[in-house]
Amino acid sequence: MKRVYLDNAATTPLDKEVIAEMTNVMENFYGNPSAIHALGREVRTLVEKARKTVAGLLNASPSEIFFTSGGTEADNTAIRCGISAYGIKHAITSKIEHHAVEHTLNMLLKDGVIDKLSFVNINEKGQIDYNHLEELLQNNSRSFVSLMHANNELGTLTDMEKVGDICEKYNAIYHADTVQTMGHYPHDVRKLKAHFIVCAAHKLHGPKGVGFLYVNSNIKIPPMIYGGAQERNMRGGTENVYGIVGLAKALEIAYKEMDEHQAYIQSLKDYLKEQLIAEIPGIAFNGETDADKSLYTVLNVSFPEMDMADMLLFNLDINGICASGGSACSSGSNIGSHVLNGIKADPNRPSVRFSFSKYTTKEDLDYVLEKVKRVVKQNALA
């Protein structure tokens, strides 16, 4: 059976060049990078070379890049340590952030670390209200703002430069969750005015279990993990050398091929959207879908009401289609997607997130369209 992978927002397949780079390190470099002997120094050189590569691509200083186990750790470090370092009592976020942000801030509120957690208004497309953000900053003490660049379920983009300008005006600390967009858009940290941005390598054809946190040099935070002196005393624990090297290689490839891949993947997204509109009456989309307002790798499809709606993803899976999705909350026992709930999506319509990569083909999408049409027709309400 043909299998089509359209869940790249969850994770991406490894690039063969990344595999080759990591394999070389696994086979030939085994010293502990903290050791002072020759084998250790060799490996330390690999780590610092990777750091320099990442920093160069972001227009950052190598001293501003800290390697982590992934996006969740990077988000937690930025939020917990940023709030702690400056004694901040007020945080601002939105109702559609990733759980790594939402749950962390809720716990800080519950534990009394912060006194107030505000939620910026969003519209039905997931766009934030910049005027409301300014009101929240204006009417409170120094704040910590955590807003994602692109929503992981909807694809809706936030204007990071605009948020950065607003935060600067009110002396707020700004954490941008860039997990979904790192390697898909250029991030020049000298223009963004973000104090923290993050990366998870497996979202851009790199390995799982590794990422990084950018910390603006004007910000000083305590460690999240204590132990050894690794990462300049900011993160104890022996470095994931193979992962770090793979991350740097994946990001290097992503930047080199970015324009080409963006044009190609956007064409696939547009094609799938157009064909779904043409072939399935009543089809709709969650979040923004216009190219200038939406992450080009994500299309969240809102299907018409149907019998066995909760089996839609299962039916796609047994037809060889890997995707993800859910629905808004329709009852007290159904939690549903907090993102779809946040934009007040119709709880009676099942949703599927199709997400693409440079390895997706038009033939893949034609296969998906054929199977989706059949499933929708078989489960259409009488």
Side-chain angles (χ1 to χ4, degrees), residues 234-247:
M234 278 294 294
R235 185 187 187 272
T238 303
E239 296 92 338
N240 173 7
V241 178
Y242 325 118
I244 289 169
V245 169
L247 182 161

Side-chain angles (χ1 to χ4, degrees), residues 5-23:
Y5 185 74
L6 291 182
D7 200 18
N8 290 278
T11 196
T12 54
L14 274 168
D15 188 291
K16 289 182 179 179
E17 289 186 58
V18 174
I19 295 173
E21 196 91 354
M22 293 175 66
T23 301

Side-chain angles (χ1 to χ4, degrees), residues 95-96 122-124 126 154 328 337-345:
K95 291 281 190 180
I96 59 172
I122 55 172
N123 65 15
E124 72 282 355
L154 305 174
S337 161
H338 76 285
V339 172
L340 295 179
N341 288 330
I343 63 170
K344 298 180 172 57

Side-chain angles (χ1 to χ4, degrees), residues 32-60:
N32 189 314
S34 295
I36 62 172
H37 52 63
L39 290 179
R41 294 197 305 272
E42 281 183 346
V43 177
R44 168 57 54 195
T45 298
L46 294 176
V47 172
E48 296 312 318
K49 180 183 177 184
R51 194 187 315 278
K52 186 176 180 180
T53 296
V54 170
L57 294 169
L58 301 182
N59 197 20

Side-chain angles (χ1 to χ4, degrees), residues 136-161:
L136 292 172
L137 289 166
Q138 198 171 27
N139 297 323
N140 288 280
S141 57
R142 190 181 192 189
S143 303
F144 187 98
V145 176
S146 183
L147 293 168
M148 61 191 354
H149 184 199
N151 185 270
N152 55 303
E153 292 190 31
L154 305 174
T156 300
L157 288 167
T158 293
D159 188 334
M160 290 176 66
E161 290 193 30

Side-chain angles (χ1 to χ4, degrees), residues 168-189:
E168 182 181 53
K169 182 178 178 181
Y170 295 97
N171 194 31
I173 294 179
Y174 174 30
H175 161 242
D177 181 351
T178 50
V179 164
Q180 285 295 335
T181 59
M182 187 61 64
H184 299 297
Y185 295 97
H187 292 87
D188 184 338
V189 298

Side-chain angles (χ1 to χ4, degrees), residues 317-344:
D317 186 34
I318 61 176
N319 280 284
I321 300 167
C322 301
S324 59
S327 62
C329 179
S330 59
S331 70
S333 60
N334 173 22
I335 297 174
S337 161
H338 76 285
V339 172
L340 295 179
N341 288 330
I343 63 170
K344 298 180 172 57

